[in-house]
Amino acid sequence: MPTVRDITFNLLRRLGLTTIVGNPGSTEETFLQNFPDDFQYILALHESCVVAIADGIAQGLKTPVLVNVHTNAGLGNAMGNIITSYLSKSPLIITAGQQTRSMLLCEPFLANVQAETLPRPWVKWSYEPKRPQDVPGAFMRAYATAVQQPTGPVFLSLPMDDWDQTMDDIDVFRTTSTCIAPDPCRVAEFAEAINRSARPAVVYGGDVARGNAWKEGIAFAEKLGAPVWQGPLSERISFPQDHPLFAGTLPPAIGPLGNALHGHDLLLVVGAPVFRYYPWVPGEYLPSGARLLHITDDPYEAAKAVVGDSLISDSGLALVELSKHIRRRDGTTTYVKAGKQDRGQSSIHDFPSPMTARQLFALLSECIPEEYIVVSESPSNMAEFSQTKIGRITKPDSYYMTASGGLGWGMPAAVGLALAEKRTGKNRPVIVIVGDGSFQFSPQSIWTAVQLDLHVIYVVLKNEQYGILKAFASQERLENVPGLDIPGIDIVSLGKGYGAKTCRAETSDRIRECFSGALSERGVTVIEVPIGKNILKHQ
């Protein structure tokens, strides 16, 4: 008779789950022994990196990815980036080994006590099979749960002695739909409200990008002739930021957000939460007299929204159906973006050292190719980044950011995205804009990128402080907050220790030289750039 392992691995092949990202422990070795030649095991040096690398692969290839971490200790290490993958709606099948079933009653060393509880509420489903013979069926249910909207991570706890148990040669494979279509009656109601409005506005969020609805989003906005805002703290960009209808990014606070939308009588939010707020700045949720319509594939997001009427649907399908019912408005308007932006190809500049973050971004903008991916994890410089050419995103699937606000996601996620680029043959360079504080959360990911021979460029902004926290402290009038300075870290040595090419660039010419070389030579490069310590007010 076949074993549980035989049946499970055959199922994983049929599901396309032949890539496993992991960091093995003793309770996982029975699963991984005699590893099949048609599977790929990607080793990361810490469980938080494991999850984020898998997240990057899942988002880059738009497919589920299998994750393997070590019992309760490894799962605990992974939790920060599991939260991010949940909010990014990344379909990860996360597994962890469990101690031998015959010892679980006495809770032996490395037992995952109440294994199903630990990852909640940040997985869609959490389960430990009751019998060894239930393992294949549990994988099938996990896969079906992960890929159904709203997509997201699931968790399986797998006792280490299950794999060699025999079972009947059963076929548990099945298919499931992955899209939620909109209710026609609700579409008609939304279309009627839109057609009645005098000055509507559109807000797009990450679901539009995740659902491959970039073109549908453009077509809808152009037919409506309305300004398009990016939702606050959006982990993906879903509308070209050089489009004449792009109005900017909404601020993540109640009062400022309501003020930014002043003058609109109807707001259509598609594929974004309503809204992501931080920090606390009181005010009106919406401009006086405005109505909000919310389209989301997540019933939970619809239920917790503080304002608005909701429609549960895939973003792309909803936009297509709505477009059939809304009237075309004559002409389009170019909307003035908040803040000064660098347009077109940046002119050549030379800046004194240490330069500002914006000056650095201007230098990088001189060198960027036509096609590239940006992963952003330098929170104190987000506003400056978006005002320069490198940060003005004009193409789909080219910008990624942590959805949870947790640090340590960007660097390993870039590894997964670069692997996806290599597999698809697109081979766009992945540029990571990361602060020296954020860098310390997952430098181990550099090693995996080097081992896989990927094209990743880490541009590390070094100001020897947690700039975003100092900005918040200033805004909230807090004094004498400890732990906000991080002097004495040698970024170049850390990158070199993991096998990357490295350079320290202080002058304009040296930055151009290092960045251009990293783009052309491929491989993994860490570029340390000292910047000024001036703190901008957080926006």
Side-chain angles (χ1 to χ4, degrees):
M1 294 180 67
T3 64
V4 169
R5 189 174 186 278
D6 295 331
I7 300 295
T8 300
F9 271 82
N10 285 335
L11 173 67
L12 297 177
R13 289 184 179 95
R14 295 184 68 182
L15 294 173
L17 296 174
T18 57
T19 296
I20 302 177
V21 188
N23 182 271
S26 56
T27 54
E28 289 69 48
E29 289 182 312
T30 53
F31 168 55
L32 298 171
Q33 67 173 326
N34 300 319
F35 196 69
D37 292 339
D38 57 332
F39 281 65
Q40 181 183 15
Y41 187 87
I42 297 173
L43 174 63
L45 303 183
H46 190 274
E47 290 89 352
S48 64
C49 294
V50 167
V51 173
I53 290 171
D55 192 340
I57 298 172
Q59 293 200 55
L61 295 178
K62 299 183 186 297
T63 187
V65 177
L66 186 57
V67 174
N68 188 232
V69 298
H70 181 42
T71 187
N72 53 358
L75 184 59
N77 286 341
M79 278 306 301
N81 279 332
I82 290 175
I83 294 171
T84 300
S85 70
Y86 180 85
L87 294 172
S88 296
K89 301 183 178 179
S90 296
L92 306 182
I93 293 89
I94 301 168
T95 64
Q98 173 64 292
Q99 260 292 5
T100 305
R101 285 183 183 270
S102 60
M103 293 197 297
L104 287 179
L105 179 62
C106 65
E107 297 182 5
F109 187 66
L110 292 180
N112 196 349
V113 179
Q114 298 184 29
E116 297 175 9
T117 303
L118 179 55
R120 291 173 175 160
W122 301 109
V123 291
K124 292 182 65 181
W125 183 56
S126 183
Y127 186 67
E128 184 174 278
K130 306 308 176 189
R131 306 178 304 153
Q133 293 75 16
D134 292 335
V135 169
F139 268 97
M140 186 64 247
R141 180 173 173 181
Y143 180 94
T145 303
V147 300
Q148 293 178 60
Q149 290 181 322
T151 54
V154 295
F155 174 72
L156 293 177
S157 171
L158 304 170
M160 61 185 295
D161 57 333
D162 282 2
W163 299 104
D164 289 331
Q165 301 297 313
T166 58
M167 62 179 294
D168 292 334
D169 191 2
I170 59 173
D171 184 3
V172 298
F173 178 82
R174 54 194 173 88
T175 61
T176 182
S177 65
T178 57
C179 262
I180 301 172
D183 173 10
C185 294
R186 195 63 161 166
V187 168
E189 293 174 11
F190 274 34
E192 182 181 1
I194 293 169
N195 288 331
R196 286 200 311 263
S197 68
R199 195 166 187 272
V202 179
V203 179
Y204 284 151
D207 288 351
V208 177
R210 269 186 291 273
N212 298 317
W214 181 276
K215 292 181 179 178
E216 290 82 355
I218 295 172
F220 179 85
E222 290 177 346
K223 185 173 183 180
L224 186 60
V228 176
W229 292 86
Q230 177 181 315
L233 301 175
S234 182
E235 71 281 3
R236 299 286 299 273
I237 289 175
S238 298
F239 191 80
Q241 296 184 328
D242 60 348
H243 194 284
L245 288 176
F246 181 67
T249 301
L250 289 174
I254 296 170
L257 189 150
N259 292 337
L261 296 171
H262 178 75
H264 294 291
D265 62 348
L266 184 135
L267 309 169
L268 178 67
V269 180
V270 184
V274 179
F275 287 103
R276 278 185 178 146
Y277 295 124
Y278 191 83
W280 165 249
V281 182
E284 297 296 327
Y285 286 112
L286 298 176
S288 178
R291 180 183 179 186
L292 187 143
L293 305 178
H294 185 203
I295 297 174
T296 177
D297 62 16
D298 189 347
Y300 184 83
E301 283 287 354
K304 76 182 183 71
V306 291
V307 290
D309 304 310
S310 61
L311 164 63
I312 307 300
S313 172
D314 172 82
S315 295
L317 294 180
L319 289 171
V320 169
E321 290 304 307
L322 269 178
S323 292
K324 297 176 182 178
H325 299 283
I326 64 169
R327 61 178 175 85
R328 180 175 294 278
R329 302 185 186 224
D330 295 332
T332 59
T333 303
T334 298
Y335 289 84
V336 179
K337 286 71 173 173
K340 182 181 177 182
Q341 289 191 330
D342 300 331
R343 304 289 182 183
Q345 179 62 50
S346 298
S347 57
I348 302 299
H349 296 289
D350 286 304
F351 301 109
S353 180
M355 61 189 65
T356 67
R358 180 163 178 164
Q359 289 169 340
L360 168 61
F361 299 144
L363 291 171
L364 300 180
S365 295
E366 296 175 11
C367 309
I368 55 170
E370 183 68 22
E371 300 280 352
Y372 62 95
I373 291 175
V374 166
V375 179
S376 174
E377 197 165 284
S378 183
S380 59
N381 306 303
M382 289 172 58
E384 294 169 291
F385 180 72
S386 66
Q387 293 165 2
T388 53
K389 182 183 177 185
I390 190 174
R392 192 169 65 256
I393 306 304
T394 62
K395 297 183 180 181
D397 300 325
S398 56
Y399 177 87
Y400 299 83
M401 187 182 81
T402 173
S404 68
L407 301 180
W409 179 87
M411 290 178 65
V415 177
L417 289 163
L419 180 61
E421 289 295 301
K422 189 173 184 178
R423 286 189 179 178
T424 60
K426 295 179 181 177
N427 293 317
R428 293 176 293 175
V430 179
I431 303 165
V432 186
I433 305 297
V434 59
D436 55 345
S438 299
F439 185 92
Q440 308 311 319
F441 283 75
S442 51
Q444 310 94 327
S445 58
I446 296 172
W447 181 87
T448 304
V450 170
Q451 297 303 308
L452 295 174
D453 192 26
L454 302 177
H455 194 187
V456 186
I457 304 167
Y458 299 95
V459 180
V460 187
L461 285 68
K462 184 176 181 180
N463 59 7
E464 300 186 325
Q465 61 188 356
Y466 292 123
I468 189 66
L469 297 180
K470 287 191 175 182
F472 279 133
S474 174
Q475 180 177 329
E476 297 170 8
R477 296 181 174 83
L478 306 176
E479 298 181 356
N480 300 319
V481 179
L484 302 187
D485 293 298
I486 49 172
I489 299 173
D490 187 344
I491 301 294
V492 166
S493 293
L494 289 172
K496 188 177 297 183
Y498 287 113
K501 294 173 285 188
T502 61
C503 73
R504 190 173 195 267
E506 298 188 53
T507 66
S508 297
D509 285 342
R510 183 62 172 154
I511 290 168
R512 293 187 189 100
E513 178 187 0
C514 292
F515 189 56
S516 297
L519 288 168
S520 61
E521 295 172 11
R522 307 185 66 80
V524 182
T525 306
V526 175
I527 304 173
E528 176 188 324
V529 183
I531 63 169
K533 295 187 177 184
N534 292 337
I535 299 300
L536 298 178
K537 184 178 179 181
H538 177 65
Q539 296 177 350

